[in-house]
Amino acid sequence: MCSSSFSCTDSSQCPSGLICHSGFCLDPSKVDTVPPDLAAPPSVTPAIGKAGTSFQVAITSTKDLLQPPSLVLGLDVPVEVPCAVVSGRSYACTYVATGLENGGAGGTVSFDVKLLDTSFNQVTKRLAGVLRLDFQAPDVLPGSASLVLVPAPGNPLRTLGAAGSGATIQVAFTVDEVLAADPVVVGSGVGTLLAFSKLSEAGQSYLYEYVLTDPSPGQGAYAVEARLTDVAGNVATRTLALPGAGLVVDTVAPAAPATTIPNAIVYQRIPWGSQGTGGDPLFAVTGAAGAVEAGAVVQVFDGPDPATAA
């Protein structure tokens, strides 16, 4: 190549024996008209990122370049990103996501690559690669959270309104996107934290459980929270909207029924039946207000306590 000090817009402006090529007067026998190209598709790391993520784009050219290439991001307002030499024909380009791309919506952003070789052949490789921007934190799908209380062995109740000693607490929920790691699920009450363990997973739905073995946990209502991390690194802690009254812990035995207060608890017995019972024996127990703990389940039996009888 001849000296690039002779600039031109047409060969008529060049000295005898030279032609105008890429804005310079050059020896036609040494003119290179083959534009540079990408030796391989650009490599983008990481594959997806959140606001503040530093994306590294690796580029390799098929020819020596006059200057490092650049990326042009296809945003609402295009952004040109300069690259730097790594070695030989290999280059690295760095872009840090601001979180404001495409009005804060992020999404998949394609980019072009601009190349200029030493013979001043210039080319723009359209849609050479993409950056995936995810600025949205993961969430629990509305209405997906559920709660099941499994009675401890020996508990006479089949359905629980609160978690008693030895009960198994199960919570299930579904998230709105793929996560990078299992959720961290914790129940928090008065002075007590319940660290749930994952029982199963199906797609983006999860089932967690906790066995209430603590001899003296905090009593009352518990908030159950799930800490979620998506593949872009966005983190969110969501409180599960459990049905009904939510998770309530009650491991304190109710006070003994008020059997010593007159007329608080009345026992009626018809051992040989009556006309009203069709001759069948009958016993009945009625209780006045305050006779037992509010909200308690009352079991009445004739004979030994079935929960303790051998």
Side-chain angles (χ1 to χ4, degrees):
M1 182 187 304
C2 294
S3 170
S4 62
S5 60
F6 294 99
S7 61
C8 62
T9 58
D10 184 83
S11 294
S12 63
Q13 300 172 346
C14 296
S16 177
L18 302 182
I19 63 172
C20 187
H21 174 70
S22 298
F24 294 93
C25 295
L26 305 173
D27 182 343
S29 66
K30 298 180 180 179
V31 170
D32 174 9
T33 60
V34 178
D37 202 348
L38 297 173
S43 171
V44 180
T45 305
I48 186 170
K50 62 178 181 176
T53 295
S54 178
F55 288 92
Q56 304 296 317
V57 181
I59 292 175
T60 303
S61 172
T62 57
K63 299 178 66 179
D64 293 336
L65 300 182
L66 185 65
Q67 62 190 30
S70 63
L71 308 180
V72 180
L73 303 184
L75 299 169
D76 289 343
V77 178
V79 174
E80 187 161 358
V81 180
C83 304
V85 176
V86 175
S87 63
R89 296 174 177 176
S90 297
Y91 303 87
C93 322
T94 300
Y95 179 74
V96 179
T98 65
L100 302 177
E101 289 82 357
N102 293 334
T108 300
V109 178
S110 62
F111 60 80
D112 302 336
V113 178
K114 295 170 68 174
L115 305 169
L116 176 66
D117 68 17
T118 54
S119 296
F120 298 95
N121 296 300
Q122 183 170 336
V123 67
T124 299
K125 305 301 293 185
R126 302 292 184 186
L127 306 177
V130 298
L131 305 182
R132 294 177 60 203
L133 308 178
D134 178 3
F135 305 147
Q136 184 66 43
D139 206 346
V140 175
L141 291 178
S144 70
S146 63
L147 170 68
V148 173
L149 301 177
V150 181
N155 190 324
L157 301 181
R158 295 183 178 180
T159 302
L160 300 180
S165 295
T168 298
I169 306 166
Q170 294 183 340
V171 294
F173 56 93
T174 301
V175 296
D176 63 355
E177 62 176 302
V178 175
L179 301 181
D182 289 337
V184 177
V185 179
V186 176
S188 56
V190 179
T192 303
L193 293 178
L194 311 179
F196 285 74
S197 300
K198 189 179 82 169
L199 191 62
S200 65
E201 173 186 354
Q204 293 168 203
S205 296
Y206 295 86
L207 176 61
Y208 278 69
E209 75 171 15
Y210 181 86
V211 180
L212 193 60
T213 57
D214 188 337
S216 56
Q219 305 294 295
Y222 276 65
V224 180
E225 296 181 331
R227 189 172 189 268
L228 314 173
T229 304
D230 67 17
V231 293
N234 297 299
V235 178
T237 298
R238 305 301 188 197
T239 300
L240 301 184
L242 299 175
L247 175 58
V248 177
V249 170
D250 181 2
T251 61
V252 178
T259 56
T260 61
I261 300 176
N263 298 320
I265 297 178
V266 177
Y267 172 63
Q268 180 185 10
R269 180 171 179 266
I270 306 174
W272 298 282
S274 66
Q275 184 176 0
T277 65
D280 293 328
L282 171 71
F283 75 90
V285 177
T286 58
V292 297
E293 177 183 305
V297 176
V298 179
Q299 287 188 309
V300 179
F301 48 89
D302 184 14
D305 185 344
T308 59

